[in-house]
Amino acid sequence: MRKILAICVLFFSLFATADNHQFVGGVEVTEPFNLQVQMCSLNEGVEQNDYDRLIQEYFDWSVKHEVEVTFVRQIPLFTHANANNPNRYDFVEFLATDYANAGIGWDKWLSTPDGQKLNSKWQKLAQCDVKMANTFMLWADVEQMNTDSDRMVVWNWCDRKPGVTWDQMNLKHQDMINSRTTEPGNIGWALFFPHFGGAQALAEFAHIVIYPDVESLMKDASSFALGGWRAQEDYFNSYATCQGRSVNVETIMRRPGD
């Protein structure tokens, strides 16, 4: 834990850039933040509307107990799945907040009568595997991140090459940031480190790149095909072994104060 947090702080001190300093909810752009991951499949006979009514009850509960978070849902769009490797989950939810608020929220969820009542209803509606991750932004257009609620998210899980240190990764990521176009199609780039419950994670860490729409995503794909791949060639050859990009549709279902 201390090692990963130290890495996060080092990454932030070198890289994070943004037009202002906070995401909605008071999360500092230049500090690591907690991302709760809920990998969910609806139980038999349960429809999405049934589940979403519960989520609205959770939002009301979080306001009452002053533990609001940014609540995000992602649904697979372009995946690595096939007949021999089906998707295991219907959707994945992410609850983003600072570490203190995440801890207080869970204490209240586990100890209050209304929290336990909601938890019981949740278990009846869906099977959700809950994880925790350390996440931090390498780059962000904070204004767009704070206002755009429907977007595309590219995931790419990676392991460091043998012998590559985090200091070397830091410097390479800095070089990639410095060489990006002045008007990138994406509105955010983050690194994601599994934390609690992450023993079966796909790799050591993941790149998360956020686009406002599919058009922006495909413009970036075109630029990559027309020569932009050269900017990342050294990264994949010398620094990290990555599994390849997948894409999810992301919906911001609620921000604190909505």
Side-chain angles (χ1 to χ4, degrees):
M1 170 63 175
R2 290 175 182 169
K3 179 179 178 182
I4 291 297
L5 284 179
I7 290 168
C8 289
V9 171
L10 179 58
F11 268 122
F12 267 117
S13 66
L14 290 174
F15 301 137
T17 59
D19 297 330
N20 55 59
H21 302 294
Q22 286 190 341
F23 294 121
V24 172
V27 173
E28 291 287 340
V29 177
T30 56
E31 295 180 4
F33 60 91
N34 191 73
L35 199 62
Q36 179 175 319
V37 184
Q38 301 177 170
M39 308 170 74
C40 299
S41 295
L42 298 177
N43 291 334
E44 186 175 356
V46 176
E47 296 184 356
Q48 191 68 58
N49 286 341
D50 300 323
Y51 184 89
D52 288 350
R53 281 192 289 271
L54 170 71
I55 295 303
Q56 184 58 58
E57 290 186 65
Y58 163 73
F59 295 155
D60 295 340
W61 178 90
S62 70
V63 172
K64 173 185 174 182
H65 289 279
E66 300 181 331
V67 289
E68 295 177 86
V69 301
T70 295
F71 191 102
V72 178
R73 180 178 293 161
Q74 292 185 13
I75 299 173
L77 181 62
F78 307 128
T79 77
H80 301 306
N82 54 40
N84 296 321
N85 180 41
N87 283 327
R88 294 176 53 201
Y89 301 100
D90 295 327
F91 54 87
V92 182
E93 295 169 333
F94 299 91
L95 285 65
T97 189
D98 62 82
Y99 293 91
N101 192 53
I104 293 169
W106 267 99
D107 282 339
K108 291 185 176 181
W109 182 257
L110 295 171
S111 64
T112 60
D114 51 351
Q116 283 296 280
K117 181 179 178 180
L118 283 178
N119 188 63
S120 179
K121 292 178 66 173
W122 188 29
Q123 305 301 317
K124 293 176 182 177
L125 293 174
Q127 169 60 47
C128 294
D129 294 330
V130 182
K131 321 286 184 181
M132 292 290 188
N134 296 309
T135 310
F136 55 94
M137 304 303 299
L138 294 181
W139 179 83
D141 181 327
V142 179
E143 182 177 355
Q144 279 198 268
M145 290 282 288
N146 279 340
T147 57
D148 191 340
S149 296
D150 296 285
R151 52 213 194 187
M152 302 294 120
V153 178
V154 175
W155 285 78
N156 198 354
W157 282 91
C158 303
D159 288 303
R160 286 174 296 160
K161 297 278 190 182
V164 174
T165 68
W166 283 114
D167 285 338
Q168 291 170 322
M169 292 292 284
N170 291 348
L171 294 174
K172 183 58 180 177
H173 287 146
Q174 177 66 77
D175 179 64
M176 293 168 71
I177 291 172
N178 291 341
S179 63
R180 76 184 193 276
T181 61
T182 55
E183 295 183 3
N186 67 77
I187 61 174
W189 174 20
L191 290 185
F192 174 98
F193 285 88
H195 181 16
F196 296 136
Q200 302 302 314
L202 297 177
E204 190 175 19
F205 67 99
H207 289 276
I208 305 173
V209 185
I210 304 162
Y211 294 84
D213 48 39
V214 181
E215 182 180 7
S216 299
L217 173 66
M218 297 311 294
K219 283 182 178 178
D220 195 37
S222 175
S223 297
F224 187 86
L226 292 172
W229 57 271
R230 295 182 184 278
Q232 296 186 38
E233 184 179 25
D234 183 54
Y235 186 78
F236 295 129
N237 286 341
S238 303
Y239 290 87
T241 299
C242 299
Q243 298 182 8
R245 298 174 180 85
S246 62
V247 182
N248 290 345
V249 177
E250 178 173 271
T251 301
I252 309 299
M253 299 186 67
R254 194 177 190 283
R255 293 181 173 93
D258 284 356

